[in-house]
Amino acid sequence: MPKTRAFHSPAAHGFVRVAAATPVVHTADPAANADEHIALIRQAADEGVDLIVFPELSVSGYAIDDLLLQDSLLEEVERQIDRICQETKATGVIAVVGAPVRHEERLYNTAVVMSDGWVWGVVPKTYLPNYREYYEKRWFAAASEELFRGSGCNIGVGGYYAAFGPHLIFSVEDRPGFTFGAEICEDFWAPLPPSTRQAMAGARILLNLSASNIVIGKAEERAVLCASQSSRTLSAYVFAASGWGESTTDLAWDGQAMIHELGAKLAEGERFALENHLTVADIDIGRIGLERLRNGTFADCTRRELRTGDLENTPRRDATRGDYVPVSIRDAGAGRAVGSLRRPLDRFPFVPDDPARLDQDCYEAFNIQVQGLMRRMKATNGERIVVGVSGGLDSTQALLVACRAFDRLGLPRTGILGYTMPGFATSEGTKSNAWTLMKALGITGAEIDIRPTATTMLEAIGHPFAKGEPVHDITFENVQAGLRTDYLFRLANQNGAFVLGTGDLSELALGWATYGVGDHMSHYNVNGGVAKTLIRHLIRWVADREVVGAEAAPVLRGILDTEISPELVPAQNGKIQSTEATVGPYPLNDFFLFYITRFGLKPSKVAYLAHQAWKDASTGHWPAGTPEDEKVEYDLATIKYWLRKFLVRFFQTSQFKRSALPNGPKVVTGGSLSPRGDWRAPSDATARVWLDELDANVPDA
């Protein structure tokens, strides 16, 4: 497949398109139900779906009671299974349908797995409810322990000879990681659902064929169970419940359909609908695999649970995956999906789109920072801190955290010693913002002009600038950054205080800090675990809620409108030094950082996701409060250009700085870059592996 076409295929990046089907039910009419199944399978094929799952007993109908024991109905079910199966060959869709199936003079409530015109496996229900409104043991036999023994058994159904048992794990040929297991309704409510062991045996997608009648509050219960099961088993969980058309003699049905991945909801269907419909999402099986790879607890539990049977560790199963049997199936339409991803994808991984969740995240992030600083002050018996106030985003956020920490500790804000230290490129705007902010917050403010001392140092080392030449090189910049830090540390000594750091997570990832000084060094850094894109929203959150007082709100909003700049090089033709012109847009860098460090994704997949998230500013959601001029878009060429820069900076040129970081709290789910925390790496690595992968798999446009 050509590189460009492969790049734009979700399957090439480890995605599987899954649909939870909600068919109209025809009570005890398998032929009519098969018609509905076929229509939905065809629709799924048109939408590029790889795998479709139907509700419990979808071929016969669930609420048909003793009709389940009628020979005529059961024979018709088998005929319609064959009919549906043939549709999978025509469409290339893998289908999992619910049907009553006979085996050895017993009737089982089963999930029938079919693709490419063949039935590959039949999974019986393990736990049969027989309480309150349920009477399943009247009709069905439960999956028994003997079905786990050896390699299982086979069953004839619909004219096919298929694997049978609750221990089947289905793997799709030529689709690495596309593995799934199935359980049925009540199995989900058991203390130890079969899907738990299916996940440990290798299934990355867990399917639930459910009838599950609806009563008040039950939909929320199902959603909680789906989210928690996908989170606990590090999997995707697909739930499809019976809907319109089921008999309402004594019960009602809402047709709830949901798809969750690693605890997050990807899609949810319409409840109480009167027509057939699909709930579709792209599941990231690659990310699930990587998450399991890095989670040692998952592997340890797998070894324990699939190879031992009781608390005394008595040997029970001697296979690597216990008695779970892999079933390899064909997918005639593998990887047909193209175009946009069918799943939520935040442009800002550190900043949620949902306003309520953003409010919660800001509340938690700010208070994590505040409590971290409070604990450090208590540990050092500190009543004073020193902080450099530039009028930019990072120092503003650190200062806001300090004010709230002092308030909660009952200390006067005058113990916060803020210093603005103008240099050769400091603008009147940022200097004014710094002073206005310090006055509004009621801290002790002061100003130290570093230019005389910087000139002395430049003269001493023979720098051309001291001789009147306009040389603004890295030495010129770092002399200023270093002096500011020198002043802060000596001021801390003089005042019995410690230096509060301001450098953020994004700058640490890019190495955008002068080693040993500047934003790199402090006694304690509250911002080291906070991404730049989140800091903008934290400041806005503090201003909107007047967390540190109403007086500061106007200047905080003014600071948010200021371009990000280190202000170390004088403006040229009225244009100030721009950080993002050098290191790239922070929204893209934070996107790269999240997916590379949190999940370990390949550069090509990161580029694909970034393109999906940023290619069209008019689609999708933006975090609340995002200014209109920040709602931009990036084409693939731009994304690839800045991703290349990021890979070099992150993997090759800046780890030595991260290996020597001061203490500071971990804040975001993306992790921290502390050498004592989430990220540990050698300072001598090369970015070659990542750059080669990028060039080999990402087209230029």
Side-chain angles (χ1 to χ4, degrees), residues 47-65:
E47 296 187 34
V49 168
D50 298 302
L51 171 66
I52 184 172
V53 57
F54 289 86
E56 181 179 13
L57 297 178
S58 58
V59 178
S60 61
Y62 176 82
I64 62 175
D65 300 334

Side-chain angles (χ1 to χ4, degrees), residues 22-187:
T22 308
V24 171
V25 180
H26 299 270
T27 306
D29 190 346
N33 286 327
D35 289 341
E36 307 289 359
H37 283 58
I38 289 169
L40 285 169
I41 289 171
R42 289 173 179 173
Q43 180 185 342
D46 290 341
E47 296 187 34
V49 168
D50 298 302
L51 171 66
I52 184 172
V53 57
F54 289 86
E56 181 179 13
L57 297 178
S58 58
V59 178
S60 61
Y62 176 82
I64 62 175
D65 300 334
D66 287 352
L67 301 185
L68 286 162
L69 299 176
Q70 291 289 309
D71 196 32
S72 295
L73 182 129
L74 295 175
E75 287 185 357
E76 184 64 17
V77 165
E78 293 219 11
R79 283 192 289 271
Q80 297 308 320
I81 286 175
D82 175 51
R83 185 168 160 235
I84 297 168
C85 186
Q86 291 309 305
E87 191 63 31
T88 66
K89 186 174 185 62
T91 59
V93 176
I94 301 168
V96 183
V97 306
V101 172
R102 289 175 286 193
H103 178 63
E104 295 181 346
E105 286 75 53
R106 296 177 184 176
L107 184 66
Y108 291 91
N109 181 346
T110 74
V112 182
V113 179
M114 55 185 75
S115 77
D116 198 27
W118 189 260
V119 173
W120 300 95
V122 179
V123 181
K125 190 171 183 176
T126 299
Y127 298 104
L128 303 178
N130 225 58
Y131 54 87
R132 294 200 297 270
E133 64 263 43
Y134 303 110
Y135 299 92
E136 287 193 28
K137 289 182 181 179
R138 179 182 176 95
W139 311 295
F140 296 114
S144 56
E145 181 64 22
E146 56 263 26
L147 295 178
F148 271 104
R149 293 175 182 164
S151 60
C153 61
N154 294 307
I155 183 174
V157 56
Y160 303 92
Y161 198 56
F164 179 68
H167 56 322
L168 306 180
I169 303 297
F170 300 90
S171 299
V172 179
E173 294 177 358
D174 302 320
R175 297 287 297 276
F178 188 173
T179 53
F180 63 91
E183 63 185 1
I184 302 172
C185 202
E186 184 72 10
D187 292 346

Side-chain angles (χ1 to χ4, degrees), residues 350 506 510 583-594 642 646:
F350 298 108
S506 308
L510 295 164
V583 301
Y586 275 112
L588 284 183
N589 282 320
D590 281 357
F591 193 98
F592 304 154
L593 172 65
F594 179 84
W642 288 117
F646 178 90

Side-chain angles (χ1 to χ4, degrees), residues 379-396:
T380 59
N381 295 316
E383 295 186 353
R384 291 182 177 182
I385 62 170
V386 169
V387 58
V389 183
S390 68
L393 293 173
D394 293 345
S395 66
T396 295

Side-chain angles (χ1 to χ4, degrees), residues 183-397:
E183 63 185 1
I184 302 172
C185 202
E186 184 72 10
D187 292 346
F188 188 35
W189 272 267
L192 183 60
S195 60
T196 299
R197 286 200 166 95
Q198 290 171 4
M200 290 189 288
R204 297 187 186 182
I205 302 173
L206 308 174
L207 310 178
N208 189 309
L209 296 78
S210 182
S212 189
N213 63 296
I214 186 61
V215 293
I216 292 173
K218 194 172 185 180
E220 183 178 358
E221 177 187 1
R222 296 176 190 139
V224 169
L225 288 172
C226 287
S228 62
Q229 186 68 347
S230 69
S231 179
R232 186 179 300 277
T233 60
L234 300 181
S235 69
Y237 200 90
V238 185
F239 181 91
S242 298
W244 173 252
E246 278 286 5
S247 172
T248 56
T249 300
D250 290 301
L251 304 173
W253 318 87
D254 68 335
Q256 187 171 18
M258 297 170 289
I259 303 174
H260 286 76
E261 177 186 299
L262 299 175
K265 183 172 65 179
L266 300 185
E268 184 172 19
E270 179 186 356
R271 296 171 59 214
F272 300 106
L274 302 182
E275 297 178 347
N276 282 343
H277 63 277
L278 299 176
T279 301
V280 180
D282 288 325
I283 290 171
D284 192 345
I285 55 172
R287 187 174 74 145
I288 291 170
L290 287 168
E291 193 71 350
R292 290 180 177 181
L293 188 68
R294 70 181 63 239
N295 189 309
T297 301
F298 184 88
D300 290 345
C301 187
T302 295
R303 284 191 292 269
R304 179 181 178 87
E305 291 298 321
L306 294 193
R307 301 184 72 174
T308 61
D310 53 40
L311 294 179
E312 286 75 35
N313 295 326
T314 302
R316 171 174 145 192
R317 300 175 182 132
D318 56 7
T320 302
R321 294 298 185 183
D323 279 335
Y324 284 85
V325 175
V327 179
S328 180
I329 67 177
R330 293 192 300 271
D331 176 14
R336 70 174 64 80
V338 294
S340 297
L341 276 176
R342 300 280 293 270
R343 62 185 279 126
L345 181 60
D346 289 334
R347 289 179 172 91
F348 300 91
F350 298 108
V351 185
D353 298 335
D354 179 65
R357 180 57 192 269
L358 177 57
D359 179 72
Q360 176 184 325
D361 283 11
C362 287
Y363 166 80
E364 291 183 344
F366 190 70
N367 281 284
I368 289 169
Q369 291 180 277
V370 169
Q371 287 217 345
L373 179 57
M374 289 171 62
R375 183 66 185 93
R376 181 51 54 93
M377 293 185 68
K378 293 292 288 186
T380 59
N381 295 316
E383 295 186 353
R384 291 182 177 182
I385 62 170
V386 169
V387 58
V389 183
S390 68
L393 293 173
D394 293 345
S395 66
T396 295
Q397 176 62 17

